[in-house]
Amino acid sequence: MRGTDLNAIERPYDGCGKCLLGVRRLSRVKLATSSPERQRENVLTAAASVGAHIIGWADDWEVSGATDPVTRPSLGPWLRDEKGPYDGLVAAAVDRLGRNVVDCLNTGYKMRDEKKMLVTYGHDGAWNLDDPADENRFTMEAWGAQMELRAIQCRNRDATVKTRAAGRPKGKPSYGFQYVRKVMGGKIDQVELHPHASEVLRNVARRILADPDNVTCSSEAPGPSGSVARPPSVGRTRGGRRRRFCSDACRKAEQRVRERLLLLAPGHTRDRWLPARSKVARTAVEVAEEARTAAQRVPKPSDRSRLGSVEAVIELKVIVDQLITDAVAADRAAGATWDRIARSLGTSADTARRRFG
């Protein structure tokens, strides 16, 4: 808006009735993108158009539009009334609230029922979902966002199938793995563990399992030759507080390992983990380490001086089977569904239920 200082629109909550929360979301954040700045300008403009001001920002970067707003890292706590008072939401567009008709309508009706404002850039004034015309337009914009999401998902699936069939990877391999080509410049024949990166992940897993409630990032991961690799960015920030993670990649890797090894307790925050699950997972890592060590001592076929290898391996299999049973019991006690357990076991939910139920 002309003559309006957008920076002056941001100020603390003062109980004026128009203290809005700025909502921004982006599925992928790249260095070249300017979307966060554009979204910020649009949000400030929309807030100024209704005489409101911004008390804070719910920025969900690297968050898919298919994610339920209530479970989003930044917006979720506000919608669950865990952050403090606010008088409504303002976003750059309806699809920044979500790309699902149900999620958008649930968020809109929540604002309506709680007598809060819902504002988006490009809409004249606040949304009034009690007005059939406004409700229909809001629903149509949410429907358009959902149709775009489905088109993106379909396009990505088709591209993935085609690239895999042609032996061309779709993007870089996940951290800890590497592509293997038997012919230089040819198709990718297989994916295997990266010798250095996989060991870094194992070290992260050991630290998480050793103390799940106090996980810190080690900036002195051993390099491929045993040397210490210290990234230039690791150390103390300008404010003097030491960084917990050496980079975004390190933070995301730790989060992925944490989510794979530990089960998030229902109704709790992401930093509170079930101790029973931690004990089972810690035991699993210990058994895996022992198994790897034992595998190196298995006699060669020509070595007849040592017998009893089959008996030892069968004993290990019995231990592992019991460990799997205990792990499933711990997951079920923590509230995990059979579908989730079946995905981890690589089987169907019915088969997992018949075997462990």
Side-chain angles (χ1 to χ4, degrees), residues 209 258-266 273-282 284 322-346 352 356-357:
L209 296 175
R258 178 189 285 266
E259 291 177 347
R260 290 172 183 173
L261 295 179
L262 305 174
L263 182 64
L264 184 63
W273 305 92
L274 296 176
R277 171 68 174 176
S278 302
K279 293 179 181 179
V280 174
R282 187 180 302 114
Q322 183 60 44
L323 184 61
I324 293 176
T325 303
D326 295 341
V328 171
D331 284 359
R332 288 292 296 165
T337 63
W338 284 114
D339 289 334
R340 177 170 181 174
I341 294 175
R343 286 196 299 269
S344 302
L345 296 174
F356 301 101

Side-chain angles (χ1 to χ4, degrees), residues 36-55:
E37 291 75 17
R38 292 198 307 271
Q39 289 188 45
R40 178 180 183 276
E41 182 178 351
N42 292 343
V43 167
L44 294 176
T45 302
S49 67
V50 295
H53 65 275
I54 304 297
I55 63 170

Side-chain angles (χ1 to χ4, degrees), residues 167-222:
R168 298 191 305 271
K170 186 170 183 274
K172 298 180 180 179
S174 300
Y175 185 79
F177 297 88
Q178 62 182 2
Y179 295 134
V180 177
R181 292 181 174 88
K182 295 181 179 180
V183 178
M184 182 177 298
K187 296 182 179 180
I188 294 176
D189 297 287
Q190 63 188 43
V191 180
E192 65 180 21
L193 291 175
H194 189 284
H196 172 57
S198 60
E199 186 60 31
V200 171
L201 288 179
R202 290 193 182 99
N203 291 333
V204 173
R206 294 188 189 101
R207 293 201 306 274
I208 293 175
L209 296 175
D211 190 1
D213 298 324
N214 186 25
V215 179
T216 57
C217 177
S218 173
S219 61
E220 298 183 356

Side-chain angles (χ1 to χ4, degrees), residues 108-119:
Y109 291 142
K110 175 181 173 62
M111 296 296 103
R112 182 198 62 182
D113 296 341
E114 296 179 359
K115 307 300 182 183
K116 294 180 179 179
M117 300 177 65
L118 180 60
V119 183

